[in-house]
Amino acid sequence: MTQRVPLIAGNWKMHKTGTQAVEAAERLDGLIKEAAGVEVMIAPVHTALYQVSRALKGSAIAVGAQNLHWEQQGAFTGEISAEMIVDAGCSHVIVGHSERRQFFGETDDSVNRKILAAKKAGLVPVFCIGETETQREARETFSVLDKQMQDGLKSFAFEKPSDLVVAYEPVWAIGTGKTATRDQAQEAHQFIRSLLEKLFGKLTADGIRILYGGSVKPDNVEALMEMPDVDGALVGGASLDPETFGKLVLFNQ
Ligand code: PGA
């Protein structure tokens, strides 16, 4: 089986000004200097991206945006493009987060356009999928994931498995303190990998990292990471404090 380097990603959502983001990023960088065999990404708000990327120059921490528009430029008030995100020093972008789907009308179709635009500009999309509590209770988890994957990845052309990161985030576990059990996470991740295999072949599917997201904390990360198809975490609340996030990054040391 392909060795997948774990990725611990922090989604800072609408928290921290530029100054606060730089302070936290530098503190985190200092705390995880010794981290080996793990990759780290943080996603501050748009207005902090350039400052944080500049502050982290030479550091191993990657910077990502939390959203993008699929057009390169134009009359789209309030939006920013993949090229602008690259220009701000980013290598990654979160796409299709459930908060964007829930509150900002994101659809599988807009997610697909964003993923293709990100790839074209050389960004790695961190593609979020996941079912709501009602869908889980109605035993629709697999069909929801299947549709989100098929629609979201339409026309995506891999050059290498690291072109994409998938994040499984059950909506009922985000910011609620309810983590999926590691067996629930593994079951979903295994299913997602089987879909990736159907769409892109085994070699690519084996190399793609699938992150778990939803109330990941220092005291549950290790158990989740022991599961064979869990390749990292997308962390919201617990990524805001550098000490706590540092512990997550150093989960195996
Ligand atoms: P949480 O958020 O860790 O606060 O549950 C995860 C996410 O929204 O990516």
Side-chain angles (χ1 to χ4, degrees):
M1 199 184 81
T2 323
Q3 240 355 77
R4 295 181 292 267
V5 180
L7 171 66
I8 307 292
N11 173 10
W12 286 357
K13 307 192 179 181
M14 200 173 75
H15 293 283
K16 299 186 194 296
T17 63
T19 313
Q20 290 165 343
V22 166
E23 225 174 79
E26 286 177 339
R27 175 90 186 111
L28 176 68
D29 193 34
L31 288 168
I32 62 169
K33 277 263 177 289
E34 307 301 318
V38 59
E39 286 175 22
V40 184
M41 189 275 276
I42 51 173
V45 295
H46 287 336
T47 49
L49 292 176
Y50 176 68
Q51 261 168 292
V52 170
S53 308
R54 207 172 44 170
L56 290 178
K57 213 169 172 171
S59 145
I61 302 176
V63 181
Q66 299 173 17
N67 181 35
L68 77 159
H69 192 277
W70 57 84
E71 292 290 347
Q72 254 178 306
Q73 57 184 12
F76 302 103
T77 302
E79 296 290 324
I80 69 170
S81 71
E83 286 72 16
M84 292 163 190
I85 290 168
V86 171
D87 185 57
C90 296
S91 51
H92 292 68
V93 61
I94 298 171
V95 183
H97 190 279
S98 67
E99 285 152 18
R100 299 230 39 105
R101 293 180 191 257
Q102 248 178 298
F103 307 133
F104 301 99
E106 194 89 274
T107 62
D108 288 334
D109 178 57
S110 63
V111 168
N112 177 244
R113 291 179 197 218
K114 290 177 181 200
I115 286 179
L116 298 182
K119 165 81 169 54
K120 195 165 165 217
L123 290 167
V124 176
V126 179
F127 169 36
C128 302
I129 53 173
E131 80 288 0
T132 62
E133 189 153 34
T134 322
Q135 289 166 334
R136 176 164 279 267
E137 278 164 6
R139 300 182 182 279
E140 288 167 7
T141 300
F142 285 174
S143 60
V144 168
L145 296 178
D146 187 65
K147 178 166 178 0
Q148 289 175 337
M149 290 282 291
Q150 303 258 13
D151 292 358
L153 293 177
K154 213 181 291 163
S155 308
F156 192 86
F158 277 95
E159 278 144 56
K160 49 188 184 320
S162 56
D163 287 345
L164 179 83
V165 171
V166 177
Y168 169 62
E169 299 206 304
V171 180
W172 47 272
I174 296 179
T176 57
K178 277 196 222 168
T179 325
T181 64
R182 59 192 215 146
D183 293 326
Q184 284 172 323
Q186 170 57 24
E187 188 187 35
H189 284 223
Q190 198 173 25
F191 177 71
I192 293 164
R193 202 173 306 283
S194 73
L195 292 175
L196 287 167
E197 187 176 331
K198 256 193 252 162
L199 293 169
F200 304 108
K202 184 164 170 47
L203 208 64
T204 302
D206 274 351
I208 298 173
R209 284 171 301 183
I210 306 174
L211 315 184
Y212 169 77
S215 300
V216 176
K217 305 267 173 333
D219 62 5
N220 60 23
V221 68
E222 224 178 314
L224 286 160
M225 290 298 295
E226 275 167 15
M227 303 315 275
D229 287 295
V230 177
D231 309 313
L234 180 55
V235 188
S239 71
L240 292 171
D241 171 53
E243 266 71 22
T244 310
F245 192 53
K247 280 189 203 150
L248 284 171
V249 171
L250 298 169
F251 74 94
N252 61 353
Q253 345 233 315

